[in-house]
Amino acid sequence: MASAAVSWFGDEMNAVPLRNNKTSAAAVRSVTVLGATGSIGDSTMDLLRAAPGRYTVEALTANGNVEALAKLAREFGARFAAVADASKLSALREALAGTGIETGAGEGAIIEAAQRPADWVMAAVSGAAGLKPALAAADRGASIALANKECLVCAGDFFMQRAAKAGACILPADSEHNALFQALASGNRDELVRVIITASGGPFRTWKAADIEKATLAQALKHPNWSMGQKITIDSASMMNKGLEVIEASYLFALSPDEIDVLVHPQSIVHGMVEFSDYSVMAQLGTPDMRTPIAHCLGWPDRIKGRAAPLDLAKIGQLTFEAPDYVRFPGLKLAYDALRAGNGATTVYNAANEIAVAAFIGEKIRFGAIAQLVEATLNGWIRAGNLAPLTGADDAIAVDHDARKMAMTLLPQIALKAS
Ligand code: NDP
């Protein structure tokens, strides 16, 4: 295995290894996939399937999709399979009867999966439920491909500190952060001017504010480039996803909000760029397919064969860029506000957004009200004097819980205003 924490920030240890010391990974790597039945899980399993003999599977987990989990566990000969839904244990046991694969159920079993001795862990559980398992993997100093946004958005400071302390290696799996991860290796911290995260602009990039306000669910789900789950697709349409990514980048790479810019790039070919003091800008490009950043994490510090279509720039012809519009997409500006406020404000931003998106899917609020609810919750939280440093996972989960409650309380007012 590659060495864990590498110092890029002077004396400060950082869990993201921003210098590739080229120590090759073990010939055969054991891996665990948390959230194996999801979209990121599927891309990860596809890469594992394409490299037989190079990886062994220690553990696979899901929430309640027993059928898909059991199928994967059998196919890959996993040692352990676990579902978060405790009521599904007997179904899982039945589905894996006679295979010798150990089974578990409940939150504790997902954490156990993360604790088992895999070299590499894909953290792709969706939502705040992904935090404790990712921390469990970090605490034993594993290499973690981090897809779950909530670990950083809800608990970024202490998640990164704990990972660095344990010697864990955090490999950014989100495409934009993976691009920055690759580009940052070209320089030192004191040579960095800013990082630039690109955004497709989503389906409403060219729409007027009044039309965005009343966009339907079907319209919000029509992402021009990426095929992703429902929640993240809606977040892309509102640009809340880009807001979450700005927050992620700040915690992952220890950057101030002023060092992170967003650039709209409708083709989604350039995923992230880093500008250095000599004004050289290093960029990572690729077809929009999550299997490319996941392959980079899976192979790191080496490179493995990818599964996405190779990039054909001549065929694409043109790459275009625009400044983001913070007026039509107020959720993006709110992310910067939350990041500057710190002290749990980004946890509140995420929690309120989750409530708002669920309300939009349930047709309780209009699309434009998503950002309004997030803003009202953030303001209410700050006015109530609730901002305070987060001390641990339980604290972050408590803030998440209380912020959701506040957002639920504010929801009827927002729904009324927007109707
Ligand atoms: P999906 O909804 O497709 O999959 C989520 C996975 O987590 C499934 O395996 C699901 O199991 C499992 N899961 C859900 N709830 C729980 C729970 N409470 N406890 C344990 N396991 C649970 O999500 P994605 O794969 O799209 O995303 C995963 C994470 O990666 C998210 O944080 C997302 O923001 C992030 N991400 C996703 C990208 C993408 O392209 N999809 C890009 C970048 C980041 P089951 O199938 O049984 O429900």
Side-chain angles (χ1 to χ4, degrees), residues 99-272:
T99 60
I101 298 170
E102 291 174 63
T103 52
E107 190 193 35
I110 308 298
I111 292 171
E112 185 191 336
Q115 285 168 333
R116 291 176 71 113
D119 300 322
W120 187 93
V121 177
M122 166 50 80
V125 168
S126 54
L131 176 57
K132 283 189 180 173
L135 267 176
D139 282 343
R140 65 175 180 81
S143 285
I144 304 171
L146 192 62
N148 175 282
K149 292 180 194 290
E150 289 74 10
C151 289
L152 296 167
V153 175
C154 300
D157 262 343
F158 80 82
F159 180 83
M160 292 305 290
Q161 279 162 18
R162 244 168 82 172
K165 208 168 150 201
C169 173
I170 304 295
L171 304 166
D174 206 347
S175 57
E176 294 77 2
H177 304 85
N178 184 267
L180 299 182
F181 175 38
Q182 298 196 45
L184 280 164
S186 295
N188 296 317
R189 180 66 176 100
D190 59 359
E191 295 160 348
L192 177 105
V193 175
R194 62 180 178 140
V195 303
I196 302 157
I197 296 174
T198 58
S200 70
F204 308 143
R205 181 175 62 89
T206 56
W207 287 31
K208 292 196 181 80
D211 296 331
I212 297 175
E213 161 70 27
K214 52 180 196 294
T216 65
L217 178 59
Q219 289 167 328
L221 287 175
K222 269 197 200 126
H223 196 283
N225 305 331
W226 294 93
S227 154
M228 305 178 290
Q230 195 178 52
K231 157 77 172 45
I232 192 169
T233 305
I234 294 168
D235 285 346
S236 295
S238 64
M239 291 197 75
M240 286 284 181
N241 184 50
K242 216 42 60 180
L244 293 169
E245 288 176 4
V246 166
I247 297 166
E248 275 184 86
S250 168
Y251 291 123
L252 268 175
F253 306 115
L255 300 170
S256 74
D258 297 335
E259 291 174 314
I260 308 166
D261 280 339
V262 172
L263 187 63
V264 175
H265 166 47
Q267 296 82 17
S268 297
I269 297 297
V270 179
H271 303 297

Side-chain angles (χ1 to χ4, degrees), residues 66-98:
V66 166
E67 201 186 326
L69 180 68
K71 196 164 171 241
L72 288 172
R74 279 175 183 269
E75 179 189 352
F76 287 89
R79 294 200 175 87
F80 183 63
V83 276
D85 182 345
S87 71
K88 301 270 172 78
L89 180 60
S90 54
L92 183 62
R93 280 196 179 138
E94 208 173 296
L96 291 174

